[in-house]
Amino acid sequence: MEKFDTEIYSKKVLKTIRKYRLVENGDKIFIGLSGGKDSASAGYFISKYVKENNVKCDIIGFHIILGDFIPKDVEKTARKQAEIFGIPFKTIELKNLGIDMEKISKLPRPVCSSCGTIKRYLMNKIPREMGGNKLCTGHHADDFIVFFFKNILGGNISWISKFTPLLPGRNKSIARIRPLFFVGGNENKKFCDALKIPYIEENACPYISIKKRIDKRREKWYETVESISRWQPNFRYQMMNGIISLSSHLYSNLTEPKECKICGEPTDGEICAFCKILKEIK
Ligand code: AMP
Ligand code: ZN
């Protein structure tokens, strides 16, 4: 098996943080730690960069507890990761916000898509309300390459303007930072293994069997990206640079988000996807 070079990997991630100015003095950055390998890697490098470059900013790790159906180990692992990185850690429990995933799972819509909507909504709202100006996630090159193809196929071209290492904040949407923009999911896994950073394998959710069925095609996409990068070693790097350049051309076409008529959070329509779900379970 080919040996994994942690030095080369680290250089790629640190270069992304530096080149795209993901971290600056005065920032208050919230890192969404899911307990998985990707956000663990993102958290590790943002914390390392801030310490080594003496950047005067706040970093906070946070984890959304979806409900009792998720093993307690997931939160414990995210907490442990924050401890290793030497950053404070906060949890947000859906239960305490009156959001019942049990009820949501029974709605006639895919539970994974509702869960994604809820997480995206809270990952913007909660850090912003706590004074945060940036949200860091573990999204990586493979995610963006797959999103890219899906948006091209679906004719949703304007969405591609959001695929960049630093997406500036607009109105109530805080800025997004993606330190793993140029590295793949497999590399994140190998890095966490090499440094013995604990993480949860991606099957902690009991809805995984439903997710697996929905995601079968998604998995195929990820396998395809991995397989192309085996015979075209620079594939990810070239694709990501192409996507950045396209996204900067498209950025000016992005429409200003509106405010949801119910909760006031950003949305493209009249009522946000989160409020639509809450309405259905009432
Ligand atoms: P996903 O859509 O599940 O692939 O997650 C995308 C990113 O969102 C991850 O890389 C994390 O940074 C963040 N994230 C996902 N789930 C959680 C969670 N339960 N709590 C905090 N952040 C999360
Ligand atoms: Zn709303």
Side-chain angles (χ1 to χ4, degrees):
M1 212 170 71
E2 204 187 314
K3 205 178 160 291
F4 177 68
D5 191 330
T6 53
E7 279 295 308
I8 294 179
Y9 171 87
S10 303
K11 274 193 185 146
K12 281 196 263 185
V13 183
L14 291 169
K15 185 179 167 193
T16 308
I17 301 177
R18 196 178 327 108
K19 182 170 173 189
Y20 295 94
R21 297 172 185 267
L22 301 194
V23 174
E24 294 194 298
N25 286 332
D27 277 344
K28 185 164 181 175
I29 303 172
F30 281 77
I31 307 178
L33 295 173
S34 65
K37 61 183 181 13
D38 303 318
S39 47
S41 234
Y44 173 89
F45 280 103
I46 291 291
S47 317
K48 179 180 167 78
Y49 183 89
V50 166
K51 265 179 226 132
E52 288 179 356
N53 294 280
N54 203 15
V55 185
K56 305 272 176 290
C57 72
D58 287 332
I59 330 173
I60 301 110
F62 77 103
H63 176 73
I64 301 171
I65 302 175
L66 297 165
D68 297 334
F69 61 95
I70 300 283
K72 291 269 177 295
D73 266 3
V74 177
E75 181 212 328
K76 273 194 204 150
T77 305
R79 186 182 294 276
K80 180 84 199 149
Q81 291 169 347
E83 209 179 288
I84 294 172
F85 311 150
I87 59 173
F89 181 74
K90 291 190 190 306
T91 53
I92 298 129
E93 255 189 275
L94 292 194
K95 210 164 55 181
N96 297 343
L97 301 174
I99 305 165
D100 183 347
M101 277 309 291
E102 195 73 40
K103 272 193 189 167
I104 290 175
S105 73
K106 300 202 171 90
L107 291 176
R109 54 162 86 212
V111 60
C112 305
S113 107
S114 306
C115 182
T117 299
I118 292 165
K119 282 196 289 187
R120 274 192 299 278
Y121 179 89
L122 295 175
M123 284 201 288
N124 183 61
K125 181 174 158 69
I126 294 190
R128 190 193 68 233
E129 287 178 346
M130 293 172 94
N133 66 324
K134 284 178 181 166
L135 167 69
C136 170
T137 60
H139 287 110
H140 49 79
D142 303 358
D143 292 326
F144 289 106
I145 294 172
V146 174
F147 294 155
F148 174 77
F149 280 114
K150 290 197 156 186
N151 281 293
I152 294 270
L153 295 182
N156 201 358
I157 310 293
S158 66
W159 213 247
I160 294 168
S161 53
K162 298 189 178 189
F163 302 169
T164 147
L166 166 70
L167 179 68
R170 287 162 16 119
N171 302 341
K172 283 185 169 176
S173 289
I174 62 170
R176 304 289 194 264
I177 58 171
R178 293 104 175 209
L180 309 179
F181 198 79
F182 287 95
V183 293
N186 255 348
E187 291 177 88
N188 301 336
K189 180 172 164 43
K190 287 178 186 164
F191 181 75
C192 288
D193 289 341
L195 264 74
K196 298 199 166 46
I197 299 173
Y199 63 88
I200 294 283
E201 300 282 347
E202 275 151 69
N203 54 7
C205 178
Y207 297 117
I208 195 79
S209 57
I210 306 171
K211 190 171 161 64
K212 273 233 168 81
R213 247 181 293 132
I214 299 165
D215 280 3
K216 257 222 162 90
R217 292 168 71 95
R218 198 168 158 242
E219 276 313 307
K220 282 224 177 301
W221 276 105
Y222 282 85
E223 282 163 20
T224 307
V225 172
E226 184 59 34
S227 113
I228 299 174
S229 64
R230 263 183 234 126
W231 53 263
Q232 171 81 25
N234 261 341
F235 175 66
R236 284 193 181 95
Y237 184 69
Q238 290 168 331
M239 270 302 290
M240 298 322 285
N241 276 320
I243 290 175
I244 289 179
S245 143
L246 191 56
S247 105
S248 64
H249 278 91
L250 294 170
Y251 189 72
S252 57
N253 293 341
L254 210 58
T255 51
E256 281 291 305
K258 295 184 208 157
E259 287 189 6
C260 169
K261 290 235 161 87
I262 298 176
C263 69
E265 288 300 306
T267 174
D268 288 329
E270 297 295 307
I271 294 179
C272 76
F274 175 83
C275 286
K276 282 184 188 156
I277 295 173
L278 286 202
K279 255 176 134 179
E280 282 181 44
I281 56 165
K282 269 196 188 131

